[in-house]
Amino acid sequence: MSVNYDFTDKVVIITGSSSGIGAGIAQLFAKSGANVVVTGRNADRVAKVAKQCTDMSPKQLTALEVVGDLTKQQDCDRLIQTTVQTFGKLDILVNNAGFGNRADVTEEDYYQKFQNLMQTNLNSVVYLTHKSVEHLAKTNGNIINISSIAAKITSSGQSPYHISKAALDMFTKCMAAELGPKHHIRVNSVNPGFIVTNIFADMGIPKAVADNFFRTVGCKYPVGRPGQPQDIAQTVAYLASNSEAGFITGSIVVADGGHLTANVSIDQELEDLINKMENF
């Protein structure tokens, strides 16, 4: 049975929403009646997703487009300010923007890679949360951070990514404990497993290779398939709903198709994919 959420009159920022999981989240909120803020670095992609959200909106509400780089504080400030100036408030902040990279600790540029990744995956979340509190406190709003099962496992050559997500989970818990009593703001995290997105296409990997990777991983999952952006969007919508999840805060909600429970290992598949990436 499909669950229909009602976010009428709610204002939602979804970072990194110009593609993938973020786009799926934005589209579901739009379908559910929210005023959606689509943001990312690529103006064409932002415009495309914003139009999709507007078309999906029951009242044809125009999605707000904000192009920016969240590693820059002035762009984060502009995102919050533009949202509040346009809609008069902020109800939900979904911190979705993030990326991964391969970084062996022995590489000469390891620390630079580490800093770059942390700037997006963690620092931007901390800053946006800091700047959003005054607005979310007025609406009894809530924050959902998109983390990863990488927060709970390890893999060779991916330490910056794993560290960033583990830190994000702890930040989620700290903010839930701090912002609940003082400001009535709930804060939760969603930790996806492997989700079918265009991430590998953006790296120049042919679609056939990426599709085979996701298919192979999905066959190992207890649910028998890899995740789709809609799977994570549904989880986010549930947590964002005060009527459905008003008693949930500080939770790290795993949505991974059973990856962790079944102790799924995909080390070989990742290594094969990395080797193929290096050849393209």
Side-chain angles (χ1 to χ4, degrees), residues 221-268:
Y221 279 7
V223 297
R225 64 174 178 85
Q228 298 291 333
Q230 294 81 1
D231 294 315
I232 307 307
Q234 288 287 342
T235 308
V236 169
Y238 170 73
L239 290 173
S241 173
N242 287 325
S243 60
E244 299 293 331
F247 198 57
I248 300 176
T249 193
S251 289
I252 309 301
V253 180
V254 175
D256 69 345
H259 186 128
L260 295 179
T261 297
N263 296 311
V264 171
S265 175
I266 58 167
D267 289 346
Q268 187 58 56

Side-chain angles (χ1 to χ4, degrees), residues 58-104:
K59 296 182 179 179
Q60 300 291 289
L61 298 175
T62 301
L64 177 63
E65 302 173 30
V66 180
V67 179
D69 180 351
L70 297 184
T71 66
K72 299 176 180 178
Q73 290 187 2
Q74 61 267 34
D75 284 7
C76 292
D77 291 337
R78 180 166 52 83
L79 172 61
I80 300 297
Q81 292 166 1
T82 303
T83 298
V84 175
Q85 288 171 0
T86 302
F87 299 113
K89 63 172 183 169
L90 174 63
D91 295 280
I92 301 163
L93 171 64
V94 182
N95 289 306
N96 168 74
F99 73 97
N101 60 12
R102 183 169 179 81
D104 291 309

Side-chain angles (χ1 to χ4, degrees), residues 15-69:
T15 68
S17 47
S18 59
S19 65
I21 292 173
I25 295 170
Q27 290 162 1
L28 180 56
F29 273 117
K31 288 179 184 177
S32 304
N35 287 292
V36 171
V37 183
V38 179
T39 182
R41 298 182 184 185
N42 185 295
D44 290 339
R45 288 185 176 183
V46 168
K48 179 180 179 181
V49 174
K51 184 180 185 307
Q52 292 170 343
C53 289
T54 299
D55 291 343
M56 293 175 177
S57 171
K59 296 182 179 179
Q60 300 291 289
L61 298 175
T62 301
L64 177 63
E65 302 173 30
V66 180
V67 179
D69 180 351

Side-chain angles (χ1 to χ4, degrees), residues 73-270:
Q73 290 187 2
Q74 61 267 34
D75 284 7
C76 292
D77 291 337
R78 180 166 52 83
L79 172 61
I80 300 297
Q81 292 166 1
T82 303
T83 298
V84 175
Q85 288 171 0
T86 302
F87 299 113
K89 63 172 183 169
L90 174 63
D91 295 280
I92 301 163
L93 171 64
V94 182
N95 289 306
N96 168 74
F99 73 97
N101 60 12
R102 183 169 179 81
D104 291 309
V105 72
T106 55
E107 293 177 15
E108 186 174 345
D109 62 346
Y110 172 82
Y111 189 65
Q112 186 60 55
K113 288 182 177 179
F114 175 85
Q115 287 184 309
N116 292 343
L117 189 142
M118 294 294 282
Q119 188 66 30
T120 297
N121 290 13
L122 182 64
N123 295 3
S124 69
V125 176
V126 172
Y127 188 76
L128 280 172
T129 300
H130 165 63
K131 300 299 288 189
S132 298
V133 169
E134 64 174 299
H135 304 293
L136 293 171
K138 296 175 183 177
T139 59
N140 290 337
N142 66 87
I143 301 169
I144 298 113
N145 298 320
I146 306 302
S147 182
S148 169
I149 57 170
K152 301 178 178 297
I153 58 177
T154 64
S155 61
S156 179
Q158 302 287 332
S159 60
Y161 185 72
H162 289 268
I163 292 167
S164 72
K165 294 305 185 180
L168 180 58
D169 283 358
M170 181 52 69
F171 181 68
T172 297
K173 293 178 181 180
C174 289
M175 289 301 99
E178 181 174 334
L179 297 180
K182 293 181 179 180
H183 304 286
H184 307 292
I185 298 171
R186 294 187 300 111
V187 188
N188 293 289
S189 169
V190 178
N191 296 47
F194 278 91
I195 309 298
V196 178
T197 67
N198 62 1
I199 183 171
F200 295 130
D202 290 343
M203 296 177 181
I205 300 299
K207 185 177 184 302
V209 174
D211 288 347
N212 183 66
F213 171 80
F214 285 120
R215 185 165 50 250
T216 302
V217 171
C219 287
K220 292 189 174 187
Y221 279 7
V223 297
R225 64 174 178 85
Q228 298 291 333
Q230 294 81 1
D231 294 315
I232 307 307
Q234 288 287 342
T235 308
V236 169
Y238 170 73
L239 290 173
S241 173
N242 287 325
S243 60
E244 299 293 331
F247 198 57
I248 300 176
T249 193
S251 289
I252 309 301
V253 180
V254 175
D256 69 345
H259 186 128
L260 295 179
T261 297
N263 296 311
V264 171
S265 175
I266 58 167
D267 289 346
Q268 187 58 56
E269 286 77 9
L270 277 174

